[in-house]
Amino acid sequence: MCRRINTNKIAYVSLVMLLALGLKASIPKKEFMANDHFIFEINHRDKYATAIELTEAGKEQEVLVVPPSIRGFPVRYIGKPKRFFQPLDINALKLTDKQIKIYLPYSLRGQMWLASVRTVEAILALANLDDFDKVLTINSFPEIKLHYLNGKNKLNTFYMYNFESSLNEGYYFMDYINGSNPYVIPSDPVRKGYTFAGWYYQKECATLWNNEVPKSESESLTLFAKWI
């Protein structure tokens, strides 16, 4: 006696299995990495990192520098985007009462979510207004005093790569220094096939920088990398 096969049922089960496999494949594989001051969530499918939390050491720092990459993954986001029914800071990277200043890298894309219990200066390495949505996002947090190149609170200290086809329209590092706020001197830039030989006042690298920085917000400083 032959048993009749329900082809519709088989087709339905097969479709469900295919959808389940497709859904599983579409979920980004994630893991977590950390440097000294930040914990990052890594998205392997799209190959980027999100800074989501401070480490215990990071919570104690007055000045924080978000790196442009972590183990080869570019840092694209700060905090996680909120859903429409969530409070604004629910998934933000939360700063502590220790932080005074945080530097944000040129590698960021899209929105950033920062929250702090005190007023903090945020330095955004923004070279053009095409990235203006980043500015709007950070300005959603009233405790974040944002400085960026084309904004109302303009930056006044610039470190330039000083070679053709460099990243971020030639800007390596940016800062706002007024003589009383904290600042950092950036780590040495890297150029393939060349050795960094110091910061100079001119593109032609005639006069070596003497490590002096602006003493007020009305002063400005632009430095150029020398390569040999």
Side-chain angles (χ1 to χ4, degrees):
M1 182 177 179
C2 295
R3 180 177 295 178
R4 185 176 180 181
I5 299 175
N6 189 330
T7 55
N8 289 337
K9 185 175 182 180
I10 292 175
Y12 175 77
V13 172
S14 299
L15 178 61
V16 170
M17 291 178 65
L18 287 172
L19 288 173
L21 289 171
L23 180 61
K24 183 177 180 181
S26 68
I27 298 175
K29 179 184 176 183
K30 296 177 181 178
E31 67 172 304
F32 298 92
M33 295 181 183
N35 65 5
D36 290 341
H37 298 149
F38 295 94
I39 297 172
F40 300 89
E41 184 179 274
I42 306 300
N43 184 314
H44 281 273
R45 186 190 68 184
D46 298 319
K47 296 181 172 55
Y48 68 81
T50 301
I52 60 171
E53 191 177 345
L54 297 181
T55 64
E56 291 304 312
K59 293 175 182 178
E60 298 299 317
Q61 304 302 309
E62 285 191 346
V63 179
L64 291 168
V65 181
V66 181
S69 65
I70 175 80
R71 299 182 193 174
F73 293 92
V75 177
R76 297 300 191 202
Y77 301 96
I78 303 292
K80 298 180 181 179
K82 76 177 189 70
R83 297 177 181 176
F84 71 93
F85 55 84
Q86 292 178 322
L88 190 62
D89 65 348
I90 188 69
N91 287 326
L93 188 150
K94 295 177 176 60
L95 305 178
T96 71
D97 60 355
K98 300 285 187 180
Q99 278 79 61
I100 298 174
K101 197 169 189 178
I102 182 169
Y103 294 88
L104 306 171
Y106 59 80
S107 59
L108 294 175
R109 297 289 183 270
Q111 296 180 330
M112 295 171 287
W113 304 93
L114 281 169
S116 177
V117 296
R118 60 176 292 175
T119 300
V120 174
E121 286 187 317
I123 307 300
L124 177 58
L126 179 66
N128 62 74
L129 288 177
D130 293 338
D131 297 325
F132 200 68
D133 57 329
K134 302 176 189 177
V135 175
L136 295 177
T137 303
I138 296 182
N139 277 341
S140 298
F141 296 90
E143 70 276 12
I144 305 296
K145 185 177 181 181
L146 180 64
H147 299 279
Y148 58 102
L149 184 58
N150 292 296
K152 181 179 179 181
N153 296 314
K154 290 189 177 182
L155 302 171
N156 65 349
T157 306
F158 308 98
Y159 299 78
M160 309 299 293
Y161 277 109
N162 201 22
F163 65 89
E164 294 293 331
S165 70
S166 56
L167 295 170
N168 201 35
E169 299 188 8
Y171 293 94
Y172 172 63
F173 197 83
M174 306 179 187
D175 210 341
Y176 170 75
I177 304 174
N178 62 17
S180 61
N181 62 344
Y183 65 91
V184 299
I185 296 176
S187 58
D188 294 348
V190 175
R191 180 184 179 187
K192 188 175 181 179
Y194 291 81
T195 300
F196 173 70
W199 294 108
Y200 285 74
Y201 288 103
Q202 311 88 2
K203 290 188 69 173
E204 299 77 16
C205 300
T207 308
L208 183 65
W209 179 43
N210 62 7
N211 290 325
E212 288 188 358
V213 297
K215 294 180 174 60
S216 71
E217 61 182 12
S218 62
E219 296 182 13
S220 64
L221 174 68
T222 301
L223 299 170
F224 300 88
K226 180 177 180 179
W227 304 99
I228 57 175

